Amino acid sequence: MSRRFGTVQALLGVDLDFGPGVHAVLGENGAGKSTAIKILAGLDQPDTGTVEMAGNPVRLRTRDSALGRGIGLIPQTGSLIGELTLLENLASTQPRQLVRRRALREKLESAAASVGVAIDLTTPVRRLGRAQQQLGELALTVAQGARILLLDEPTSVLDADEIHGLHVILRAFAEDGITVVLITHRLAEVRAVADAATVLSHGTVSWTGKVADVDDETLARAMVGELQASTPPSRAPIDQSTEPALVLEGLWAAANDLAPVRNITVRVRPREIVAVIGTAGSGQRALAEAAAGIVPPERGTRRVTGTVAYIPEQRAEALLPSLPLKWSAVLPRLRDKRFTRFGVLREDVVDTFARHLLVRFDVRPPNPDLPAGALSGGNAQKLVMGRELDTAPAVAVVHAPTQGLDLRATQRIRDLILDTADAGTAVLLISADHEEARALADRVLVLRDGRIIGVYTAAEYDHAVHRLVDARPDEDGRQ
Ligand SMILES: Nc1ncnc2c1ncn2[C@@H]1O[C@H](COP(=O)(O)OP(=O)(O)O)[C@@H](O)[C@H]1O
Ligand SMILES: [Mg+2]
């Protein structure tokens, strides 16, 4: 299969072959994993290439036609309707059978039993935990007749126990003769459940074969490729005797019900970019919110000298989606005197300010009256980052800034981060993207299960990255 989006060649001549059992598809962000399985699920069409089942060519034009052939996708973000129960979700996919509710219930219950957990069929999905939602969606897909299950990074939102639970279920499916295709970027997970693996790298297959026949080093190399010479030679080295602008010392913190962080110590100096690399579930969000001052530390200290800008992972949370985007553009400056007169916001001044900001940070379309929610992901991010970093903060906490963005927008955002650091801001970059850390950071810390398990200079990191892809925490959580 080949598939191109504009200037991005997402897949180029990719051959995939899935037999019975659990088959892992591995690859870094942007490698083409989701694109490949969307095609198999009937959600996208390849530019060239064919899909065969048991040797016969098939056409998978829609999700329903793929499901009709027994192929079901559990997408990365889930696809259930939150207001409906699982049963109602199933009914909504089969309108003609709406009357036979009892039959549907039985179908779902037996599928739930095959998933091996008690699944709540009568609570709106939105009120279930994430693991429950995911298992529910798995049961639903099986109830719809899927014999080939495609799971797009299902474990990125789960904790260690939930991951183990899912693995047990996937193995059971495999024993039942179901083909399981599991997308992941964790090598430990491949070892734990997969019989076979295929590694995608920049839209092509870089390795495929039986898991028993390969070592982790080979898989890791296939994922990240041969590394180029070290990163930004143009940046002046940071004087490590400068007073840090951000200090976290022995910090313990938790954000909502998400993975907490334990005993984190980080110092970021003016002009310095420190990256914290860790996959979802390792405490990234807790660290980001604690560093940004949104959640107080449970233990340890946080010190900052000056203002702090925060660019959250959920960039939509930083916008006012239904209002004209000029209001989102001035959000951190609403107390500026120039925007108010006699306590009333001056829309004309806001409008002019927003117009300049949109042009300067290349937000398209540069129309301050458009609702912020109408911007594409890349443009929304340019707006949020532009508005935050334009205030010349002493510290910027930037979480997953280019996740899900196309190459052009990614480059723009990375340049903006480099410019911000060069202008004197201390940048704490929290990301799951090794490539990003290599491109931007002066120092890299590796976060696993809430602890820092390694600290590297940019040069050391290049050498260490192959091992890091599957690093595990050591006992004392050393920094
Ligand atoms: N609908 C789309 N429009 C434009 N670019 C896309 C689209 N879907 C994927 N891409 C691009 O294709 C590449 C591969 O994406 P994807 O398959 O999602 O990678 P992965 O799942 O391995 O992270 C990325 O560069 C991504 O930005
Ligand atoms: Mg993906």
Side-chain angles (χ1 to χ4, degrees):
M1 305 184 291
S2 293
R3 180 72 170 106
R4 192 182 179 87
F5 298 104
T7 56
V8 179
Q9 188 77 49
L11 297 174
L12 184 63
V14 165
D15 294 329
L16 296 170
D17 203 333
F18 301 131
V22 179
H23 196 119
V25 175
L26 279 155
E28 295 219 295
N29 279 341
K33 306 179 296 292
S34 294
T35 302
I37 64 162
K38 277 183 198 155
I39 290 173
L40 299 180
L43 296 175
D44 190 23
Q45 306 300 316
D47 301 327
T48 58
T50 53
V51 181
E52 291 178 6
M53 295 179 75
N56 303 312
V58 291
R59 285 187 171 274
L60 307 169
R61 290 182 189 284
T62 61
R63 181 171 187 275
D64 283 346
S65 70
L67 253 180
R69 295 184 181 277
I71 305 175
L73 170 68
I74 318 312
Q76 207 157 354
T77 46
S79 67
L80 299 177
I81 302 167
E83 303 309 314
L84 303 183
T85 67
L86 276 176
L87 194 57
E88 290 162 345
N89 265 285
L90 179 58
S92 76
T93 64
Q94 311 191 350
R96 263 165 291 155
Q97 297 178 31
L98 205 55
V99 282
R100 294 168 47 212
R101 218 177 151 85
R102 217 173 114 192
L104 280 183
R105 172 181 280 271
E106 277 164 15
K107 217 166 154 184
L108 195 51
E109 273 168 352
S110 88
S114 80
V115 173
V117 274
I119 284 177
D120 187 337
L121 303 181
T122 52
T123 302
V125 164
R126 147 181 77 75
R127 297 222 302 268
L128 301 174
R130 267 176 303 189
Q132 280 288 309
Q133 286 187 16
Q134 204 172 60
L135 293 176
E137 186 150 13
L138 209 50
L140 198 91
T141 311
V142 172
Q144 288 171 301
R147 301 294 293 167
I148 299 175
L149 288 174
L150 312 171
L151 294 99
D152 197 350
E153 305 212 33
T155 55
S156 59
V157 294
L158 303 181
D159 67 27
D161 283 347
E162 293 166 342
I163 289 175
H164 178 72
L166 182 68
H167 287 170
V168 171
I169 290 162
L170 296 183
R171 283 311 319 170
F173 278 147
E175 303 310 317
D176 275 358
I178 287 183
T179 294
V180 177
V181 177
L182 173 68
I183 291 191
T184 177
H185 52 249
R186 299 181 192 194
L187 294 186
E189 180 159 44
V190 177
R191 287 270 168 241
V193 287
D195 303 296
T198 297
V199 183
L200 288 178
S201 173
H202 300 286
T204 61
V205 173
S206 54
W207 191 89
T208 188
K210 287 208 177 82
V211 174
D213 297 343
V214 67
D215 59 20
D216 285 359
E217 175 89 9
T218 307
L219 287 177
R221 274 187 192 282
M223 277 173 74
V224 300
E226 290 307 322
L227 297 174
Q228 308 298 310
S230 183
T231 32
S234 56
R235 300 202 64 222
I238 307 298
D239 177 358
Q240 294 292 320
S241 66
T242 320
E243 266 309 295
L246 170 70
V247 178
L248 305 178
E249 219 162 66
L251 183 104
W252 296 55
N256 296 329
D257 55 344
L258 300 170
V261 286
R262 292 169 287 177
N263 198 22
I264 303 280
T265 296
V266 187
R267 294 179 187 81
V268 192
R269 295 173 175 80
R271 311 178 70 84
E272 190 175 34
I273 302 177
V274 173
V276 177
I277 285 289
T279 50
S282 53
Q284 286 189 309
R285 176 134 181 187
L287 176 59
E289 294 196 350
I294 292 188
V295 299
E298 288 169 358
R299 277 155 71 179
T301 54
R302 165 187 182 266
R303 289 196 303 278
V304 290
T305 57
T307 55
V308 181
Y310 178 40
I311 288 95
E313 180 181 28
Q314 307 298 328
R315 50 192 76 109
E317 287 173 11
L319 294 173
L320 307 167
S322 55
L323 293 183
L325 60 82
K326 61 186 151 201
W327 299 111
S328 291
V330 296
L331 215 47
R333 300 171 180 269
L334 278 180
R335 291 209 193 90
D336 279 17
K337 286 210 178 62
R338 62 175 148 162
F339 293 129
T340 53
R341 184 158 44 199
F342 311 122
V344 176
L345 277 164
R346 298 178 56 185
E347 186 164 352
D348 54 332
V349 183
V350 168
D351 197 276
T352 310
F353 176 87
R355 267 175 213 285
H356 282 121
L357 190 95
L358 297 180
V359 170
R360 225 150 19 98
F361 293 100
D362 189 36
V363 178
R364 295 178 207 187
N367 173 2
D369 293 314
L370 205 72
L375 291 174
S376 72
N379 286 297
Q381 185 67 325
K382 284 187 269 181
L383 173 59
V384 172
M385 301 222 19
R387 125 193 140 189
E388 295 293 333
L389 301 182
D390 191 44
T391 60
V395 175
V397 177
V398 184
H399 189 181
T402 62
Q403 184 176 282
L405 303 189
D406 64 30
L407 273 181
R408 236 180 102 100
T410 297
Q411 200 47 56
R412 239 6 254 196
I413 297 292
R414 289 184 182 172
D415 288 347
L416 188 57
I417 293 171
L418 286 170
D419 290 348
T420 303
D422 285 343
T425 299
V427 178
L428 182 67
L429 169 70
I430 297 166
S431 173
D433 187 342
H434 290 281
E435 201 56 47
E436 188 142 281
R438 292 179 58 235
L440 299 179
D442 301 294
R443 281 188 298 136
V444 182
L445 281 57
V446 178
L447 185 71
R448 284 281 184 285
D449 292 334
R451 293 172 188 272
I452 301 291
I453 59 159
V455 183
Y456 302 85
T457 64
E460 291 165 348
Y461 186 68
D462 267 5
H463 297 293
V465 66
H466 289 125
R467 284 182 289 114
L468 289 174
V469 170
D470 194 36
R472 298 195 196 148
D474 55 16
E475 289 311 307
D476 57 356
R478 99 197 124 83
Q479 190 196 325

